[in-house]
Amino acid sequence: MLLTLPVAVVTGARPRHPVSRFLTGFSVAAAAIPEFVVAIALLAVLAVWTRWLPVLSVPGAGRTVWENPVCLVMPALSLWLVCSASLTRRVQALVATHAAAPYVREAELAGLTRRRVLSRHLLPSVAPGVLQLLAQTIPYLLGGAVVVETVTSFPGLGFALVRAVGDREVPVVMAAGALMMVVAVVAFTVADALSVRQERMVAVV
């Protein structure tokens, strides 16, 4: 959110800029690559060739992930690359559509700076749509975690779910699936509530 959204909004507001076109092409290419391919490629580069990170993202015997936070880097980086690529492309398209709207053009013709047009006119209009895109990313993130955690051997919820399916532990599978569904429902509910509030604020203005 702190890195992907600002970049996507700024480049989406200027879709014809060379940087925007490059980022769009890169996002489309990255989003088309499966999660396990991204994880394997990162393992090959960061763990095998450069040896900056361990091959297995495990905290170690008797240790938690917070005692060995380096084990979080590989799975988090893999998930961030996959999810941010998809999110960037969709946010760019949404912002570019609103950037071509008449009210944005009128604000620019009125002599307002690009920063003011972006913060006062464009962002309030695209905020509800961006919130929905963020909520849609949550189930995608949870599904990708199952694959990425299996490839990197990270002891997370996705890895536990795969092991439970292999061991036929039905209660664990049901609990993990229910937890993922609850997280997705909460994300969509929060996004809907914030979207309604933002739309009311825009209407008042």
Side-chain angles (χ1 to χ4, degrees), residues 11 14-21:
T11 55
R14 304 178 64 183
R16 297 183 180 180
H17 194 275
V19 176
S20 301
R21 294 181 178 179

Side-chain angles (χ1 to χ4, degrees), residues 2 5-6 33 41 57 64 72 91 98 104 113 118 130 135-136 138 141 149 151 154 156 160 167 182 185 193 205:
L2 296 178
L5 285 184
I33 302 176
S57 298
T64 65
L72 293 169
V91 171
H98 283 266
V104 176
T113 61
L118 182 64
V130 172
Q136 294 175 13
I138 300 300
L141 179 66
E149 290 177 5
V151 174
F154 180 77
D167 297 338
V182 169
V185 170
V205 174

Side-chain angles (χ1 to χ4, degrees), residues 3-197:
L3 180 61
T4 303
L5 285 184
V7 172
V9 170
V10 172
T11 55
R14 304 178 64 183
R16 297 183 180 180
H17 194 275
V19 176
S20 301
R21 294 181 178 179
F22 170 78
L23 189 61
T24 300
F26 179 79
S27 300
V28 172
I33 302 176
E35 293 89 346
F36 71 92
V37 176
V38 174
I40 293 174
L42 289 177
L43 282 173
V45 174
L46 300 178
V48 178
W49 292 349
T50 62
R51 297 184 180 180
W52 291 345
L53 296 174
V55 177
L56 300 179
S57 298
V58 293
R63 305 178 68 184
T64 65
V65 293
W66 307 116
E67 295 174 339
N68 187 20
V70 70
C71 67
L72 293 169
V73 176
M74 186 67 72
L77 183 60
S78 301
L79 291 174
W80 174 72
L81 286 175
V82 174
C83 291
S84 64
S86 177
L87 183 62
T88 297
R89 182 67 189 93
R90 291 185 291 176
V91 171
Q92 278 184 323
L94 177 64
V95 174
T97 301
H98 283 266
Y103 70 92
V104 176
R105 297 297 186 186
E106 292 177 1
E108 293 176 347
L109 294 175
L112 298 179
T113 61
R114 183 177 298 273
R115 180 178 299 179
R116 189 174 181 85
V117 172
L118 182 64
S119 61
R120 294 296 183 88
H121 296 273
L122 189 57
L123 285 181
S125 300
V126 301
V130 172
L131 290 171
Q132 293 299 323
L133 292 177
L134 283 174
Q136 294 175 13
T137 306
I138 300 300
Y140 185 63
L141 179 66
L142 294 174
V146 175
V147 179
V148 170
E149 290 177 5
T150 303
V151 174
T152 59
S153 299
F154 180 77
L157 180 62
F159 185 72
L161 178 60
V162 172
R163 291 185 59 183
V165 171
D167 297 338
R168 300 183 182 276
E169 297 179 355
V170 178
V172 177
V173 175
M174 295 177 63
L179 180 58
M180 291 182 175
M181 289 187 291
V182 169
V183 171
V185 170
V186 171
F188 281 109
T189 303
V190 172
D192 290 340
L194 293 177
S195 298
V196 171
R197 182 180 179 182

